[in-house]
Amino acid sequence: MVALALPAFGALVAEPLFVMVDSAVVGHLGTAQLAGLGVAAALLTTAVNIFVFLAYATTAAVARRVGAGDLRAALRQGVDGIWLALLLGGLVIAAVLPAAPALVGLFGASGTAAPYATTYLRISSLGIPAMLVVLAATGVLRGLQDTRTPLVVAVGGFSANAGLNAALVYGAGLGIAGSAWGTVIAQNGMAAVYLWVVVRGVRRQIATGAARDAGVEVKAGTEAEGGRGGWWSVLRPDAAGIRACARAGLPLLVRTISLRAVLLIATAVAARLGDTEIAAHQITLTVWSLLAFALDAIAIAGQAIIGRYLGAEDAAGARAACRRMIEWGVACGVVLGLLVALARPLIGPLFSSDPAVQDALMSALLVVAVSQPVSGVVFVLDGVLMGAGDGPYLAWSMLVTLAVFAPVAFAVPALGAGLTALWWAMTLMMLTRLAALWLRARSGRWIVTGAAR
């Protein structure tokens, strides 16, 4: 498990670092620019992450077929997910570009922040198809028990993004638009690398299968286009397969939309508290997301491991893996919480030179630190149930969580409370998720063995 989780940690941490780099660079342009980035980043993250099932569902489905010993079917499943990602990415761009000003307006951004938010949103939306391809291709590799390749690609993408941001924002003088273009270029580069890796893997698998069928010795690195229908039979778009991926991902889509609704509500509430509060909230949310992705590394390993055990019809192994991952989740949550609590005085100046923003951050980050052990268990159990293909339960439990969180969050400005109260509402949201996921894990109803659930 550790061999899968550690590389997954690096890959997952790199994703929120894209937003963190943008926040750090743009934050020094001014509070209005950072506030605009906060609104745009929330919308963009939603536009991408509501389709996170492209990674999660693909990981579970591919891992099950690997466990059942059918590598060709595993790759076919993954390729169908990539085609679905391209289709969805095109639809999202078509919706976001014309609607950008209206979407920013829905968040109640101030007159000074709204133009920056609109600019960043429109440019960055061009990278959405690439990020959806990255999600799907990452799911393929995780299902194949390969978390090292996503780590390498993520580190390269993050490094490129950091360099491009500095060059375009300050060197070329493009301001917030330069930050958006730098991110789009890096995202498309990552997608191109992933596609190359997946195509190469398919060709090698077909060549290996063809050689074995013919009784020929297989040489390392051999690639051929024949055998079992040829590699294009796996890579070409298959309407039935794409529809099957969409159906399998629908419950996780509902679950993710509910989670994103929670985060959007939190950002909308913070925007109505003022520019200082939304700027501080953006930084806090960036830190929270970084921690979430770090904890999710254990969940990602869990998805691949649970899927493989269940595909191999090893229910006892799946239960044991679940217990180990919960222990890791608690331990990592405690460590991360302590680190955030100690680092609070250093985080504010890193992102903003505004003393008011720095002051608002201190209390909000303390709440984030306290909630990390709870988050550790939540993310682990989320990964276990995803690996088991238990999407319908995840969808219903997240809808309940949204129903609990929404009225509490909207009460924050009505009661005259501030950013710290909003983040206590976020903690309540995580406790609600913990209760629902813990009950399901203890019931054992998620354990369904076989190549498909």
Side-chain angles (χ1 to χ4, degrees):
M1 183 180 69
V2 175
L4 290 175
L6 287 178
F9 170 81
L12 288 166
V13 168
E15 183 176 339
L17 284 176
F18 271 75
V19 178
M20 183 173 282
V21 167
D22 288 4
S23 298
V25 172
V26 172
H28 290 286
L29 293 175
T31 299
Q33 287 90 333
L34 182 58
L37 174 64
V39 172
L43 288 164
L44 286 163
T45 303
T46 299
V48 173
N49 284 355
I50 59 173
F51 300 115
V52 76
F53 73 85
L54 290 166
Y56 292 159
T58 302
T59 297
V62 170
R64 274 184 177 267
R65 284 160 176 77
V66 169
D70 192 347
L71 183 57
R72 182 185 175 91
L75 289 168
R76 174 72 262 179
Q77 181 87 30
V79 170
D80 288 338
I82 291 174
W83 282 111
L84 179 61
L86 287 169
L87 175 62
L88 293 173
L91 293 174
V92 172
I93 283 185
V96 170
L97 281 177
L103 291 171
V104 169
L106 286 175
F107 274 73
S110 69
T112 55
Y116 296 113
T118 301
T119 296
Y120 190 91
L121 178 60
R122 278 181 164 158
I123 296 172
S124 292
S125 67
L126 301 177
I128 289 175
M131 288 311 296
L132 297 189
V133 168
V134 167
L135 286 175
T138 300
V140 177
L141 296 179
R142 289 172 182 167
L144 295 172
Q145 319 292 294
D146 176 9
T147 55
R148 293 182 183 274
T149 299
L151 170 60
V152 173
V153 177
V155 170
F158 166 70
S159 301
N161 182 53
L164 287 166
N165 262 262
L168 295 176
V169 172
Y170 297 116
L174 296 179
I176 196 169
S179 177
W181 279 118
T183 300
V184 168
I185 294 169
Q187 289 168 340
N188 278 277
M190 291 174 66
V193 173
Y194 269 118
L195 289 174
W196 175 76
V197 170
V198 170
V199 170
R200 185 185 62 174
V202 169
R203 294 185 59 160
R204 286 182 174 176
Q205 191 276 328
I206 295 298
T208 300
R212 286 175 178 166
D213 287 347
V216 177
E217 180 183 356
V218 180
K219 296 181 180 181
T222 299
E223 294 186 9
E225 297 186 9
R228 299 187 186 180
W231 57 268
W232 179 243
S233 67
V234 178
L235 290 175
R236 69 189 177 195
D238 175 58
I242 294 172
R243 286 195 299 269
C245 284
R247 286 194 300 271
L250 182 59
L252 290 182
L253 177 62
V254 173
R255 169 258 181 201
T256 304
I257 289 175
S258 300
L259 177 58
R260 296 312 307 176
V262 166
L263 301 181
L264 287 173
I265 288 170
T267 299
V269 169
R272 284 163 173 77
L273 295 175
D275 279 2
T276 297
E277 286 74 13
I278 183 59
H281 174 76
Q282 167 60 18
I283 299 170
T284 306
L285 186 60
T286 299
V287 173
W288 184 86
S289 298
L290 175 64
L291 298 172
F293 278 98
L295 291 169
D296 210 25
I298 305 170
I300 293 301
Q303 289 176 35
I305 292 171
I306 295 295
R308 188 185 66 197
Y309 276 127
L310 295 178
E313 302 190 7
D314 186 354
R319 288 192 184 94
C322 178
R323 287 193 297 271
R324 289 195 303 272
M325 285 181 285
I326 289 174
E327 293 168 359
W328 275 92
V330 173
C332 291
V334 170
V335 171
L336 291 175
L338 289 173
L339 288 175
V340 172
L342 294 173
R344 285 183 304 144
L346 305 176
I347 294 174
L350 180 64
F351 290 96
S352 175
S353 55
D354 188 336
V357 173
Q358 294 177 18
D359 288 343
L361 271 175
M362 291 295 287
S363 296
L365 288 175
L366 182 59
V367 177
V368 170
V370 170
S371 68
Q372 287 312 293
V374 172
S375 297
V377 180
V378 167
F379 288 118
V380 162
L381 292 179
D382 215 31
V384 167
L385 298 185
M386 285 182 189
D390 200 12
Y393 183 83
L394 290 171
W396 282 111
S397 65
M398 199 61 226
L399 285 171
V400 171
T401 300
L402 174 61
V404 171
F405 170 78
V408 176
F410 284 125
V412 170
L415 296 174
L419 188 64
T420 303
L422 177 60
W423 276 92
W424 277 119
M426 290 285 288
T427 302
L428 173 64
M429 178 270 294
M430 294 301 291
L431 287 169
T432 305
R433 292 182 69 189
L434 175 63
L437 296 173
W438 185 264
L439 288 173
R440 185 64 167 183
R442 291 199 62 180
S443 73
R445 295 177 183 175
W446 54 276
I447 300 176
V448 179
T449 60
R453 185 178 174 88

